[in-house]
Amino acid sequence: MAHRANFENSNEIGCFSILTNSYCIVASGGSENFYSVFEQQLGVHIPVVHGSIANSKMIGRMAVGNRNGLLVPMNTTDLELQVLRNMLPDAVKIQRVEEKLSALGNVISCNDHVALIHPELDKSTEEIVQEVLGVETFRTTIAGNALVGSFCKFTNNGGLVHPMCGVAELDELSTLLQVPLCAGTVNRGSDVVAAGMVTNDWISFVGTDTTAAELSVIDAVFKLGDQQKSIFQAENRGALIDSLSRNRYSRQ
């Protein structure tokens, strides 16, 4: 199921953490409450590592990873890299990337098999993504936005994308990723879904402003919890429509 948390009064917890099926990284310098939420739920399953990347707490925007590897920008310090190498599982490959679009978490979104990448990402970076993360890559946009790492979040079970994605685009992306997708929001109507949440195949963490309707959609589309409910069941479809309708009217 999904759990609410915040980082220093910010609901954008996806900016300050990275969660995969084999490890979790949380930014150093936050409150103990933030760390405890992750450690209580994950500590017996995967390592929860405290760290920074490129002297920044915004590790979720600076780096990207899956169970196979972790990519960090070239300005990641030697000490930061050493901490990650010491704390993450030995099977996880870690590599610095020389890329002009250095906020890798904003321009790459992936699960353990497929990655969506910014259309202008360097070819050499794309090859590193394929090799280190062990994924197939596709250059695309989400609802016209090139920052695919910010406007979608998907696992091996399902995914959430920008609320303005049309049906045809959802079908195309779902075909590429081979997982069911749903358009939706987090944090009471935020369309930057990857900034407001982190998730893996069995658990999700979202900002504290996330509504019950948004939580219901997240639990369903990512197939979290024991019930494994479909996003297309009537009660979840109704909750999604209500949430998107309120969000749309609030912006007018």
Side-chain angles (χ1 to χ4, degrees), residues 4 22 100 159 177 193 221 250:
R4 291 185 177 97
S22 59
K100 63 181 179 181
L177 302 176
V193 293
V221 73
S250 69

Side-chain angles (χ1 to χ4, degrees), residues 72-179:
V72 298
M74 190 57 71
N75 55 345
T76 302
T77 68
D78 292 341
L79 179 59
E80 291 168 336
L81 206 59
Q82 190 61 47
V83 168
L84 293 173
R85 293 190 192 280
N86 290 342
M87 300 300 292
L88 295 185
D90 293 339
V92 175
K93 302 175 184 176
I94 306 173
Q95 184 164 333
R96 286 191 179 112
V97 179
E98 182 75 56
E99 168 61 50
K100 63 181 179 181
L101 303 173
S102 59
L104 301 175
N106 284 337
V107 297
I108 303 169
S109 183
C110 67
N111 61 14
D112 294 335
H113 308 290
V114 185
L116 301 180
I117 63 175
H118 191 291
E120 297 179 10
L121 205 69
D122 285 348
K123 180 62 177 176
S124 60
T125 301
E126 182 178 10
E127 293 172 354
I128 292 172
V129 171
Q130 294 169 346
E131 178 182 351
V132 176
L133 301 185
V135 294
E136 190 175 2
T137 55
F138 298 98
R139 295 175 183 265
T140 188
T141 60
I142 304 291
N145 296 287
L147 297 179
V148 292
S150 300
F151 293 103
C152 75
K153 192 69 180 178
F154 60 94
T155 67
N156 300 324
N157 297 327
L160 191 70
V161 300
H162 191 288
M164 297 309 293
C165 267
V167 174
E169 184 175 6
L170 276 174
D171 287 344
E172 180 182 354
L173 290 171
S174 184
T175 300
L176 288 177
L177 302 176
Q178 291 295 296
V179 296

Side-chain angles (χ1 to χ4, degrees), residues 52-67:
S52 63
I53 292 176
N55 291 313
S56 172
K57 295 180 181 180
M58 300 191 72
I59 58 175
R61 301 301 88 208
M62 299 301 295
V64 63
N66 62 11
R67 73 176 305 137

